[in-house]
Protein backbone atom coordinates (compact mmCIF):
# COMPACT_ATOMS: atom_id res chain seq x y z
CA UNK A 1 0.00 0.00 0.00
CA UNK A 2 1.58 3.25 -1.16
CA UNK A 3 0.95 6.46 0.72
CA UNK A 4 -0.20 9.51 -1.24
CA UNK A 5 -0.62 13.09 -0.02
CA UNK A 6 -2.95 15.34 -2.00
CA UNK A 7 -2.63 19.10 -1.58
CA UNK A 8 -6.03 20.71 -2.08
CA UNK A 9 -9.45 19.30 -1.26
CA UNK A 10 -11.39 20.71 -4.20
CA UNK A 11 -13.08 18.75 -6.97
CA UNK A 12 -9.76 17.64 -8.49
CA UNK A 13 -8.11 16.57 -5.26
CA UNK A 14 -11.17 14.67 -4.08
CA UNK A 15 -11.83 12.80 -7.33
CA UNK A 16 -8.15 11.88 -7.60
CA UNK A 17 -8.06 10.81 -3.95
CA UNK A 18 -11.22 8.73 -4.26
CA UNK A 19 -9.95 6.90 -7.35
CA UNK A 20 -6.59 6.19 -5.71
CA UNK A 21 -8.26 5.03 -2.49
CA UNK A 22 -10.34 2.54 -4.43
CA UNK A 23 -7.10 1.27 -5.98
CA UNK A 24 -5.67 0.53 -2.53
CA UNK A 25 -3.57 3.63 -1.90
CA UNK A 26 -3.44 5.21 1.55
CA UNK A 27 -4.58 8.77 0.80
CA UNK A 28 -4.29 11.92 2.91
CA UNK A 29 -5.95 15.09 1.61
CA UNK A 30 -4.90 18.47 3.01
CA UNK A 31 -7.44 21.28 2.54
CA UNK A 32 -6.75 24.80 3.78
CA UNK A 33 -10.40 25.85 4.25
CA UNK A 34 -12.70 24.85 7.07
CA UNK A 35 -15.18 23.60 4.46
CA UNK A 36 -14.15 20.94 2.01
CA UNK A 37 -14.77 21.06 -1.71
CA UNK A 38 -13.33 24.18 -3.37
CA UNK A 39 -15.96 25.19 -5.93
CA UNK A 40 -18.29 22.56 -4.46
CA UNK A 41 -18.44 24.20 -1.06
CA UNK A 42 -21.62 25.88 0.12
CA UNK A 43 -22.44 28.50 2.73
CA UNK A 44 -25.57 29.34 4.69
CA UNK A 45 -27.37 32.67 5.11
CA UNK A 46 -30.62 32.97 7.06
CA UNK A 47 -31.07 29.23 6.91
CA UNK A 48 -30.60 29.06 3.13
CA UNK A 49 -27.73 27.03 1.66
CA UNK A 50 -26.00 28.54 -1.37
CA UNK A 51 -23.59 26.93 -3.82
CA UNK A 52 -20.46 28.94 -4.48
CA UNK A 53 -19.29 27.52 -7.79
CA UNK A 54 -20.74 24.26 -9.07
CA UNK A 55 -24.38 24.77 -10.04
CA UNK A 56 -25.04 22.73 -13.19
CA UNK A 57 -23.84 19.23 -14.06
CA UNK A 58 -23.52 17.57 -17.44
CA UNK A 59 -22.68 13.92 -17.94
CA UNK A 60 -24.77 12.78 -14.96
CA UNK A 61 -27.61 11.15 -16.86
CA UNK A 62 -27.69 7.36 -17.19
CA UNK A 63 -24.64 6.29 -19.23
CA UNK A 64 -22.99 9.71 -18.99
CA UNK A 65 -19.23 9.77 -18.43
CA UNK A 66 -19.29 11.54 -15.09
CA UNK A 67 -22.19 9.36 -13.88
CA UNK A 68 -20.12 6.28 -14.74
CA UNK A 69 -17.17 7.56 -12.69
CA UNK A 70 -19.46 8.29 -9.74
CA UNK A 71 -21.08 4.85 -10.01
CA UNK A 72 -17.62 3.26 -10.08
CA UNK A 73 -16.78 5.06 -6.82
CA UNK A 74 -20.17 4.35 -5.21
CA UNK A 75 -21.07 8.05 -5.13
CA UNK A 76 -24.82 8.67 -5.08
CA UNK A 77 -26.12 12.21 -5.51
CA UNK A 78 -29.53 13.84 -5.19
CA UNK A 79 -29.99 15.49 -8.59
CA UNK A 80 -32.86 16.97 -10.53
CA UNK A 81 -32.83 16.97 -14.35
CA UNK A 82 -33.60 20.30 -15.99
CA UNK A 83 -36.70 20.62 -18.17
CA UNK A 84 -36.11 18.53 -21.32
CA UNK A 85 -37.96 21.01 -23.53
CA UNK A 86 -35.97 23.93 -22.08
CA UNK A 87 -32.61 23.09 -20.53
CA UNK A 88 -31.50 26.71 -20.96
CA UNK A 89 -33.22 30.01 -21.68
CA UNK A 90 -31.51 32.96 -23.40
CA UNK A 91 -33.09 36.43 -23.46
CA UNK A 92 -31.95 39.50 -25.41
CA UNK A 93 -32.99 42.81 -23.88
CA UNK A 94 -32.53 44.67 -27.19
CA UNK A 95 -35.65 43.12 -28.69
CA UNK A 96 -37.12 41.11 -25.79
CA UNK A 97 -36.66 37.83 -27.67
CA UNK A 98 -36.30 34.68 -25.55
CA UNK A 99 -34.96 31.39 -26.86
CA UNK A 100 -35.93 28.21 -24.98
CA UNK A 101 -33.28 25.63 -25.87
CA UNK A 102 -34.19 21.93 -25.52
CA UNK A 103 -31.85 19.09 -24.59
CA UNK A 104 -30.94 16.33 -27.02
CA UNK A 105 -28.99 16.59 -30.27
CA UNK A 106 -31.96 16.19 -32.62
CA UNK A 107 -34.21 18.50 -30.58
CA UNK A 108 -31.45 21.12 -30.43
CA UNK A 109 -31.01 21.07 -34.23
CA UNK A 110 -34.76 21.13 -34.88
CA UNK A 111 -35.38 24.04 -32.50
CA UNK A 112 -32.57 26.19 -33.87
CA UNK A 113 -33.70 25.39 -37.42
CA UNK A 114 -37.25 26.56 -36.65
CA UNK A 115 -35.94 29.80 -35.16
CA UNK A 116 -33.45 30.37 -38.00
CA UNK A 117 -34.90 28.51 -41.03
CA UNK A 118 -32.51 30.24 -43.45
CA UNK A 119 -29.60 28.56 -41.59
CA UNK A 120 -31.19 25.10 -41.18
CA UNK A 121 -28.64 23.16 -43.25
CA UNK A 122 -25.73 25.02 -41.65
CA UNK A 123 -27.07 24.44 -38.14
CA UNK A 124 -27.02 20.69 -38.72
CA UNK A 125 -23.50 20.93 -40.17
CA UNK A 126 -22.34 22.95 -37.16
CA UNK A 127 -23.81 20.51 -34.61
CA UNK A 128 -22.34 17.56 -36.55
CA UNK A 129 -18.94 19.30 -36.40
CA UNK A 130 -19.23 19.94 -32.66
CA UNK A 131 -20.11 16.29 -31.99
CA UNK A 132 -17.27 15.15 -34.27
CA UNK A 133 -14.79 17.23 -32.27
CA UNK A 134 -16.10 15.78 -29.01
CA UNK A 135 -15.99 12.27 -30.47
CA UNK A 136 -12.31 12.85 -31.25
CA UNK A 137 -11.52 12.93 -27.52
CA UNK A 138 -11.50 9.31 -26.36
CA UNK A 139 -11.29 10.12 -22.66
CA UNK A 140 -14.45 12.28 -22.88
CA UNK A 141 -16.34 9.07 -23.69
CA UNK A 142 -14.16 6.97 -21.34
CA UNK A 143 -12.72 4.99 -24.23
CA UNK A 144 -9.26 3.52 -24.59
CA UNK A 145 -6.96 5.75 -26.56
CA UNK A 146 -4.16 8.28 -26.47
CA UNK A 147 -5.46 11.83 -26.56
CA UNK A 148 -2.90 14.17 -28.06
CA UNK A 149 -3.78 17.72 -29.02
CA UNK A 150 -1.99 17.55 -32.33
CA UNK A 151 -3.39 14.20 -33.46
CA UNK A 152 -6.82 15.60 -34.24
CA UNK A 153 -8.54 17.40 -37.10
CA UNK A 154 -7.59 20.91 -38.17
CA UNK A 155 -10.75 22.35 -36.59
CA UNK A 156 -9.77 20.97 -33.19
CA UNK A 157 -7.50 23.93 -32.49
CA UNK A 158 -9.46 26.62 -34.27
CA UNK A 159 -10.81 29.41 -32.09
CA UNK A 160 -14.36 28.61 -30.91
CA UNK A 161 -15.82 31.77 -32.45
CA UNK A 162 -14.03 30.91 -35.71
CA UNK A 163 -15.64 27.47 -35.70
CA UNK A 164 -19.12 28.94 -35.25
CA UNK A 165 -18.58 31.61 -37.94
CA UNK A 166 -17.31 28.96 -40.38
CA UNK A 167 -20.77 27.38 -40.43
CA UNK A 168 -23.13 30.17 -39.36
CA UNK A 169 -23.58 33.59 -40.98
CA UNK A 170 -26.53 35.01 -39.04
CA UNK A 171 -25.06 37.29 -36.34
CA UNK A 172 -27.79 36.55 -33.77
CA UNK A 173 -27.38 32.82 -34.28
CA UNK A 174 -23.59 33.08 -34.00
CA UNK A 175 -24.12 34.83 -30.68
CA UNK A 176 -26.74 32.35 -29.47
CA UNK A 177 -24.58 29.32 -30.19
CA UNK A 178 -21.92 30.79 -27.90
CA UNK A 179 -24.27 31.42 -24.96
CA UNK A 180 -22.47 28.82 -22.79
CA UNK A 181 -19.32 30.98 -22.68
CA UNK A 182 -19.73 31.63 -18.92
CA UNK A 183 -19.48 27.85 -18.41
CA UNK A 184 -15.93 27.61 -19.71
CA UNK A 185 -14.38 31.09 -19.75
CA UNK A 186 -14.73 31.64 -23.49
CA UNK A 187 -12.63 34.39 -25.08
CA UNK A 188 -12.96 35.32 -28.76
CA UNK A 189 -9.95 34.36 -30.83
CA UNK A 190 -8.38 32.33 -28.02
CA UNK A 191 -10.66 29.60 -26.62
CA UNK A 192 -10.02 26.38 -28.59
CA UNK A 193 -12.90 24.88 -30.54
CA UNK A 194 -12.53 21.51 -28.78
CA UNK A 195 -13.31 23.08 -25.39
CA UNK A 196 -16.41 24.74 -26.84
CA UNK A 197 -17.40 21.39 -28.35
CA UNK A 198 -16.89 19.28 -25.21
CA UNK A 199 -18.85 21.62 -22.95
CA UNK A 200 -21.71 22.06 -25.42
CA UNK A 201 -22.04 18.35 -26.14
CA UNK A 202 -21.96 17.58 -22.42
CA UNK A 203 -24.94 19.84 -21.76
CA UNK A 204 -26.89 19.20 -24.96
CA UNK A 205 -26.94 15.57 -23.81
CA UNK A 206 -28.87 16.73 -20.74
CA UNK A 207 -27.88 18.80 -17.68
CA UNK A 208 -28.84 18.23 -14.05
CA UNK A 209 -28.73 20.34 -10.91
CA UNK A 210 -28.07 19.51 -7.28
CA UNK A 211 -30.99 19.24 -4.91
CA UNK A 212 -29.89 20.75 -1.62
CA UNK A 213 -26.50 21.99 -2.77
CA UNK A 214 -23.19 20.89 -4.29
CA UNK A 215 -21.52 20.13 -0.95
CA UNK A 216 -23.00 16.63 -1.18
CA UNK A 217 -20.53 15.71 -3.92
CA UNK A 218 -17.52 16.86 -1.87
CA UNK A 219 -18.80 14.98 1.18
CA UNK A 220 -19.48 11.82 -0.85
CA UNK A 221 -15.98 11.78 -2.35
CA UNK A 222 -14.45 12.39 1.08
CA UNK A 223 -16.47 9.44 2.39
CA UNK A 224 -15.00 7.19 -0.30
CA UNK A 225 -11.49 8.17 0.78
CA UNK A 226 -12.23 7.64 4.48
CA UNK A 227 -14.01 4.33 3.88
CA UNK A 228 -10.77 2.97 2.39
CA UNK A 229 -8.72 4.09 5.38
CA UNK A 230 -7.67 7.50 4.07
CA UNK A 231 -7.79 10.88 5.77
CA UNK A 232 -9.34 14.16 4.66
CA UNK A 233 -8.09 17.04 6.78
CA UNK A 234 -9.66 20.49 6.68
CA UNK A 235 -8.14 23.62 8.29
CA UNK A 236 -4.83 22.19 7.06
CA UNK A 237 -3.14 24.89 4.98
CA UNK A 238 0.11 23.75 3.40
CA UNK A 239 2.80 26.33 4.14
CA UNK A 240 5.93 24.59 2.86
CA UNK A 241 6.86 21.64 0.67
CA UNK A 242 10.39 20.46 1.34
CA UNK A 243 12.07 19.36 -1.91
CA UNK A 244 15.54 17.81 -1.82
CA UNK A 245 17.31 16.26 -4.84
CA UNK A 246 14.16 16.57 -6.96
CA UNK A 247 12.07 14.66 -4.40
CA UNK A 248 9.44 15.89 -1.95
CA UNK A 249 10.66 14.94 1.53
CA UNK A 250 7.85 16.34 3.66
CA UNK A 251 4.94 18.75 3.76
CA UNK A 252 4.40 21.31 6.50
CA UNK A 253 0.87 22.55 7.13
CA UNK A 254 -0.78 24.96 9.54
CA UNK A 255 -3.81 23.92 11.57
CA UNK A 256 -6.75 26.08 12.56
CA UNK A 257 -5.17 27.05 15.89
CA UNK A 258 -2.08 28.33 14.07
CA UNK A 259 0.20 25.46 14.99
CA UNK A 260 2.48 23.82 12.39
CA UNK A 261 2.38 20.10 11.72
CA UNK A 262 4.48 17.88 9.48
CA UNK A 263 2.97 15.14 7.34
CA UNK A 264 5.19 12.06 7.56
CA UNK A 265 6.99 11.21 4.35
CA UNK A 266 4.72 9.84 1.65
CA UNK A 267 5.53 7.80 -1.44
CA UNK A 268 3.76 10.23 -3.78
CA UNK A 269 2.47 13.79 -3.66
CA UNK A 270 -0.23 15.28 -5.86
CA UNK A 271 -0.97 18.98 -6.14
CA UNK A 272 -4.58 19.88 -6.89
CA UNK A 273 -3.96 23.63 -6.48
CA UNK A 274 -3.06 26.28 -9.05
CA UNK A 275 0.56 25.78 -10.18
CA UNK A 276 1.31 29.45 -9.51
CA UNK A 277 0.30 28.84 -5.87
CA UNK A 278 2.23 25.56 -5.68
CA UNK A 279 5.62 26.86 -6.81
CA UNK A 280 6.20 29.38 -3.97
CA UNK A 281 5.33 26.68 -1.42
CA UNK A 282 8.22 24.51 -2.56
CA UNK A 283 11.88 24.80 -1.64
CA UNK A 284 13.53 27.48 -3.77
CA UNK A 285 14.97 25.95 -6.92
CA UNK A 286 12.66 22.93 -6.88
CA UNK A 287 11.43 23.87 -10.35
CA UNK A 288 13.61 25.07 -13.26
CA UNK A 289 13.48 28.76 -14.07
CA UNK A 290 11.98 27.99 -17.48
CA UNK A 291 9.05 26.19 -15.80
CA UNK A 292 8.46 29.00 -13.31
CA UNK A 293 8.54 31.57 -16.11
CA UNK A 294 6.14 29.55 -18.21
CA UNK A 295 3.62 29.20 -15.39
CA UNK A 296 3.79 32.94 -14.66
CA UNK A 297 3.15 33.79 -18.32
CA UNK A 298 -0.02 31.74 -18.78
CA UNK A 299 -3.01 34.13 -18.54
CA UNK A 300 -5.72 33.27 -16.05
CA UNK A 301 -9.39 33.20 -16.90
CA UNK A 302 -11.70 35.98 -15.78
CA UNK A 303 -13.48 36.07 -12.45
CA UNK A 304 -17.03 36.90 -11.34
CA UNK A 305 -19.28 39.12 -9.27
CA UNK A 306 -22.10 36.99 -7.85
CA UNK A 307 -25.38 37.83 -6.14
CA UNK A 308 -27.00 35.46 -3.63
CA UNK A 309 -30.68 36.29 -3.20
CA UNK A 310 -33.30 35.03 -0.75
CA UNK A 311 -36.89 35.56 -1.89
CA UNK A 312 -39.92 36.43 0.17
CA UNK A 313 -42.08 33.37 0.65
CA UNK A 314 -44.10 32.26 -2.41
CA UNK A 315 -43.15 35.35 -4.43
CA UNK A 316 -40.88 34.28 -7.32
CA UNK A 317 -41.53 31.18 -9.47
CA UNK A 318 -39.09 28.28 -9.43
CA UNK A 319 -37.36 27.93 -12.82
CA UNK A 320 -36.10 24.43 -13.56
CA UNK A 321 -33.42 25.50 -16.02
CA UNK A 322 -30.61 28.02 -16.25
CA UNK A 323 -31.29 31.49 -17.67
CA UNK A 324 -28.88 33.70 -19.61
CA UNK A 325 -29.33 37.42 -20.22
CA UNK A 326 -27.70 39.34 -23.08
CA UNK A 327 -28.05 43.06 -23.71
CA UNK A 328 -27.69 42.56 -27.47
CA UNK A 329 -25.95 40.58 -30.17
CA UNK A 330 -22.16 40.56 -30.04
CA UNK A 331 -21.90 40.79 -26.24
CA UNK A 332 -21.44 37.10 -25.45
CA UNK A 333 -17.70 37.16 -26.13
CA UNK A 334 -17.25 40.37 -24.12
CA UNK A 335 -18.69 39.46 -20.71
CA UNK A 336 -15.19 39.25 -19.28
CA UNK A 337 -14.59 42.91 -20.10
CA UNK A 338 -15.56 45.71 -17.76
CA UNK A 339 -17.09 48.97 -18.97
CA UNK A 340 -18.43 50.80 -15.88
CA UNK A 341 -21.30 52.60 -17.59
CA UNK A 342 -22.91 49.48 -19.06
CA UNK A 343 -21.74 46.61 -16.85
CA UNK A 344 -23.09 43.94 -16.78
CA UNK A 345 -23.80 43.40 -20.47
CA UNK A 346 -25.05 39.93 -19.65
CA UNK A 347 -25.11 37.26 -16.96
CA UNK A 348 -26.33 33.83 -15.95
CA UNK A 349 -28.99 33.31 -13.26
CA UNK A 350 -30.69 30.30 -11.71
CA UNK A 351 -33.06 29.25 -8.94
CA UNK A 352 -31.47 26.25 -7.15
CA UNK A 353 -33.62 23.20 -6.52
CA UNK A 354 -34.99 22.40 -3.06
CA UNK A 355 -36.83 19.22 -4.07
CA UNK A 356 -36.76 16.51 -6.73
CA UNK A 357 -40.18 17.43 -8.12
CA UNK A 358 -43.15 19.65 -7.57
CA UNK A 359 -41.43 22.90 -6.59
CA UNK A 360 -43.64 25.87 -7.49
CA UNK A 361 -41.79 28.80 -5.94
CA UNK A 362 -38.09 29.57 -5.69
CA UNK A 363 -36.58 30.19 -2.28
CA UNK A 364 -33.35 31.69 -3.63
CA UNK A 365 -31.48 32.79 -6.73
CA UNK A 366 -27.83 32.97 -7.79
CA UNK A 367 -26.79 35.55 -10.40
CA UNK A 368 -23.30 35.13 -11.85
CA UNK A 369 -21.79 38.14 -13.65
CA UNK A 370 -18.34 37.81 -15.21
CA UNK A 371 -15.77 40.39 -14.13
CA UNK A 372 -11.99 40.79 -14.52
CA UNK A 373 -9.85 40.93 -11.37
CA UNK A 374 -8.49 44.34 -12.37
CA UNK A 375 -11.77 45.93 -11.26
CA UNK A 376 -11.04 45.13 -7.59
CA UNK A 377 -7.27 45.30 -7.73
CA UNK A 378 -7.16 48.40 -5.51
CA UNK A 379 -8.32 46.19 -2.61
CA UNK A 380 -6.07 43.20 -3.40
CA UNK A 381 -4.16 43.51 -0.11
CA UNK A 382 -7.32 43.31 2.01
CA UNK A 383 -8.95 40.28 3.59
CA UNK A 384 -12.51 39.00 3.92
CA UNK A 385 -14.53 41.17 6.30
CA UNK A 386 -11.84 43.85 6.44
CA UNK A 387 -11.89 45.50 3.02
CA UNK A 388 -13.16 48.92 4.13
CA UNK A 389 -16.11 51.22 3.50
CA UNK A 390 -15.07 52.11 -0.06
CA UNK A 391 -15.20 48.47 -1.05
CA UNK A 392 -18.59 47.93 0.60
CA UNK A 393 -19.96 51.00 -1.21
CA UNK A 394 -18.54 49.75 -4.52
CA UNK A 395 -20.09 46.34 -3.93
CA UNK A 396 -23.50 47.85 -3.17
CA UNK A 397 -23.36 49.93 -6.36
CA UNK A 398 -22.76 46.79 -8.38
CA UNK A 399 -25.54 44.91 -6.60
CA UNK A 400 -27.88 47.71 -7.69
CA UNK A 401 -26.65 47.50 -11.28
CA UNK A 402 -27.52 43.80 -11.41
CA UNK A 403 -30.91 44.31 -9.75
CA UNK A 404 -31.70 47.05 -12.26
CA UNK A 405 -31.12 44.57 -15.09
CA UNK A 406 -33.31 41.98 -13.37
CA UNK A 407 -36.11 44.54 -13.13
CA UNK A 408 -36.01 44.93 -16.90
CA UNK A 409 -36.92 41.24 -17.04
CA UNK A 410 -39.17 41.12 -13.97
CA UNK A 411 -40.55 44.63 -13.21
CA UNK A 412 -41.40 43.92 -9.54
CA UNK A 413 -38.22 41.93 -8.86
CA UNK A 414 -36.99 44.09 -5.96
CA UNK A 415 -40.33 43.67 -4.19
CA UNK A 416 -39.83 39.90 -4.19
CA UNK A 417 -36.33 40.04 -2.68
CA UNK A 418 -35.99 39.58 1.06
CA UNK A 419 -32.18 39.50 1.32
CA UNK A 420 -29.21 39.90 -1.00
CA UNK A 421 -25.50 39.34 -0.57
CA UNK A 422 -22.66 39.50 -3.09
CA UNK A 423 -19.17 38.15 -3.63
CA UNK A 424 -16.46 39.63 -5.84
CA UNK A 425 -13.27 38.36 -7.55
CA UNK A 426 -11.53 38.97 -4.21
CA UNK A 427 -13.82 36.45 -2.53
CA UNK A 428 -13.06 33.83 -5.17
CA UNK A 429 -9.34 34.51 -4.81
CA UNK A 430 -9.40 34.10 -1.04
CA UNK A 431 -11.73 31.10 -0.74
CA UNK A 432 -10.58 29.11 -3.78
CA UNK A 433 -6.92 30.14 -3.52
CA UNK A 434 -6.99 31.11 -7.21
CA UNK A 435 -4.67 33.85 -8.50
CA UNK A 436 -6.72 36.86 -9.62
CA UNK A 437 -9.88 35.04 -8.57
CA UNK A 438 -9.72 33.01 -11.79
CA UNK A 439 -12.97 31.06 -12.14
CA UNK A 440 -11.49 28.41 -14.40
CA UNK A 441 -7.80 28.58 -13.58
CA UNK A 442 -5.38 28.99 -16.46
CA UNK A 443 -6.78 30.04 -19.81
CA UNK A 444 -6.45 27.62 -22.72
CA UNK A 445 -5.30 29.51 -25.82
CA UNK A 446 -5.44 28.11 -29.33
CA UNK A 447 -2.98 30.81 -30.43
CA UNK A 448 -0.35 29.35 -28.10
CA UNK A 449 -1.64 25.95 -27.10
CA UNK A 450 1.72 24.62 -25.93
CA UNK A 451 2.07 27.44 -23.40
CA UNK A 452 -1.31 26.72 -21.83
CA UNK A 453 -0.89 22.95 -21.61
CA UNK A 454 0.52 22.02 -18.20
CA UNK A 455 1.58 18.35 -17.98
CA UNK A 456 0.69 16.05 -15.09
CA UNK A 457 4.35 15.25 -14.48
CA UNK A 458 6.79 17.73 -12.90
CA UNK A 459 10.57 17.89 -12.53
CA UNK A 460 10.02 16.84 -8.90
CA UNK A 461 10.02 13.07 -9.34
CA UNK A 462 7.35 12.16 -6.77
CA UNK A 463 5.09 15.18 -7.37
CA UNK A 464 2.23 15.09 -9.90
CA UNK A 465 -0.51 17.56 -10.78
CA UNK A 466 -4.27 17.29 -11.10
CA UNK A 467 -7.25 19.66 -11.20
CA UNK A 468 -8.75 22.23 -13.54
CA UNK A 469 -5.48 23.83 -14.63
CA UNK A 470 -4.25 20.65 -16.32
CA UNK A 471 -6.89 19.79 -18.93
CA UNK A 472 -10.39 21.19 -18.50
CA UNK A 473 -12.26 22.77 -15.61
CA UNK A 474 -15.51 21.83 -13.94
CA UNK A 475 -17.56 18.65 -13.79
CA UNK A 476 -16.55 17.84 -17.37
CA UNK A 477 -12.78 18.17 -17.20
CA UNK A 478 -11.70 17.68 -13.60
CA UNK A 479 -12.83 14.05 -13.10
CA UNK A 480 -11.28 13.16 -16.48
CA UNK A 481 -8.02 14.82 -15.44
CA UNK A 482 -8.19 12.82 -12.20
CA UNK A 483 -8.25 9.66 -14.32
CA UNK A 484 -5.19 10.92 -16.25
CA UNK A 485 -3.32 11.52 -12.99
CA UNK A 486 -4.27 8.18 -11.45
CA UNK A 487 -3.39 6.27 -14.62
CA UNK A 488 0.01 8.00 -14.64
CA UNK A 489 0.56 6.13 -11.36
CA UNK A 490 -1.15 2.77 -11.86
CA UNK A 491 -0.87 2.36 -15.64
CA UNK A 492 -2.45 3.64 -18.82
CA UNK A 493 -6.14 2.80 -19.40
CA UNK A 494 -6.41 0.89 -16.10
CA UNK A 495 -9.30 3.04 -14.81
CA UNK A 496 -10.93 3.32 -18.24
CA UNK A 497 -10.90 -0.47 -18.58
CA UNK A 498 -12.53 -0.85 -15.16
CA UNK A 499 -15.23 1.65 -16.09
CA UNK A 500 -15.90 -0.30 -19.28
CA UNK A 501 -16.26 -3.52 -17.28
CA UNK A 502 -18.68 -1.78 -14.88
CA UNK A 503 -21.19 -1.21 -17.68
Amino acid sequence: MQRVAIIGGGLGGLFTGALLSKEGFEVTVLEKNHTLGGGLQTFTRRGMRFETGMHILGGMREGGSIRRICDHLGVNLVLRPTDPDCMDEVTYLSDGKTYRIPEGREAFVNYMSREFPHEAAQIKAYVDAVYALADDVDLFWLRRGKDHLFAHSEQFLWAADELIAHYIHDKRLQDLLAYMNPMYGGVAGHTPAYIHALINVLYIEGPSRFVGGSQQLADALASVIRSHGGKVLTDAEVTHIDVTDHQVEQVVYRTRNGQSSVLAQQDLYISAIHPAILIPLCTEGAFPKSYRTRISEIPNTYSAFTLYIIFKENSFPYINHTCYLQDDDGMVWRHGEYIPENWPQGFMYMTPADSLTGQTYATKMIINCLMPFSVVQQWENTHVGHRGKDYEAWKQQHIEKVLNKMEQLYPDFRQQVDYVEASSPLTIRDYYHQPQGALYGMRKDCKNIMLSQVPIYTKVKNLLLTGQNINLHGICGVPLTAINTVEAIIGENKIVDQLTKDE
Side-chain angles (χ1 to χ4, degrees), residues 32-326:
K32 81 178 188 77
N33 287 337
H34 183 64
T35 304
L36 194 67
L40 294 170
Q41 64 185 294
T42 59
F43 68 94
T44 302
R45 291 292 183 273
R46 299 191 177 185
M48 292 289 176
R49 185 170 293 278
F50 286 96
E51 297 156 349
T52 59
M54 184 72 68
H55 311 295
I56 312 156
L57 299 90
M60 287 301 297
R61 303 289 181 86
E62 190 70 35
S65 297
I66 313 306
R67 172 72 175 272
R68 288 168 61 193
I69 298 170
C70 287
D71 288 348
H72 173 72
L73 293 171
V75 168
N76 297 306
L77 304 172
V78 184
L79 302 175
R80 178 171 180 169
T82 54
D83 296 326
D85 59 342
C86 181
M87 66 169 184
D88 287 322
E89 178 182 299
V90 185
T91 299
Y92 289 85
L93 286 177
S94 57
D95 59 7
K97 174 67 175 176
T98 294
Y99 299 90
R100 293 174 57 83
I101 301 170
E103 67 178 49
R105 180 175 180 173
E106 184 178 355
F108 184 93
V109 170
N110 290 341
Y111 176 80
M112 291 296 184
S113 297
R114 288 196 302 272
E115 292 290 331
F116 301 90
H118 55 291
E119 291 270 24
Q122 290 304 103
I123 290 168
K124 185 179 186 307
Y126 159 78
V127 173
D128 287 347
V130 166
Y131 268 79
L133 289 177
D135 192 59
D136 225 11
V137 181
D138 289 317
L139 186 59
F140 181 74
W141 303 102
L142 299 178
R143 297 187 303 237
R144 262 181 167 261
K146 289 186 176 181
D147 291 318
H148 191 282
L149 284 171
F150 301 102
H152 300 284
S153 66
E154 179 190 357
Q155 290 185 339
F156 201 77
L157 290 176
W158 284 7
D161 55 319
E162 180 185 353
L163 177 76
I164 296 171
H166 178 77
Y167 293 95
I168 306 299
H169 300 100
D170 186 288
K171 295 299 182 184
R172 168 61 63 86
L173 182 55
Q174 286 180 356
D175 199 84
L176 185 61
L177 291 174
Y179 80 91
M180 288 190 196
N181 268 358
M183 298 290 292
Y184 55 86
V187 176
H190 294 280
T191 300
Y194 78 90
I195 290 180
H196 169 83
L198 292 176
I199 299 295
N200 277 265
V201 167
L202 190 76
Y203 289 98
I204 289 173
E205 289 297 301
S208 304
R209 48 177 41 177
F210 292 104
V211 176
S214 53
Q215 187 71 45
Q216 59 175 296
L217 177 53
D219 293 342
L221 292 170
S223 293
V224 173
I225 295 169
R226 290 176 176 132
S227 70
H228 288 88
K231 298 176 183 177
V232 181
L233 308 179
T234 57
D235 296 312
E237 181 178 4
V238 172
T239 56
H240 182 67
I241 301 171
D242 184 11
V243 179
T244 305
D245 293 332
H246 306 293
Q247 292 267 128
V248 176
E249 297 293 337
Q250 64 180 18
V251 169
V252 180
Y253 63 94
R254 183 169 49 233
T255 60
R256 192 175 191 183
N257 60 14
Q259 293 184 338
S260 289
S261 292
V262 176
L263 183 64
Q265 187 173 11
Q266 309 287 293
D267 298 295
L268 290 168
Y269 297 82
I270 298 173
S271 171
I273 62 178
H274 195 293
I277 300 297
L278 169 69
I279 290 172
L281 295 175
C282 295
T283 302
E284 188 174 354
F287 297 95
K289 183 179 178 181
S290 59
Y291 185 85
R292 299 196 306 270
T293 301
R294 180 185 173 199
I295 294 298
S296 68
E297 289 178 349
I298 301 175
N300 287 302
T301 52
Y302 39 60
S303 192
F305 185 89
T306 305
L307 268 62
Y308 304 96
I309 292 169
I310 297 176
F311 289 117
K312 295 174 182 175
E313 189 174 1
N314 297 342
S315 63
F316 191 88
Y318 170 73
I319 303 170
N320 194 41
H321 54 260
T322 304
C323 302
Y324 296 80
L325 174 73
Q326 310 276 10

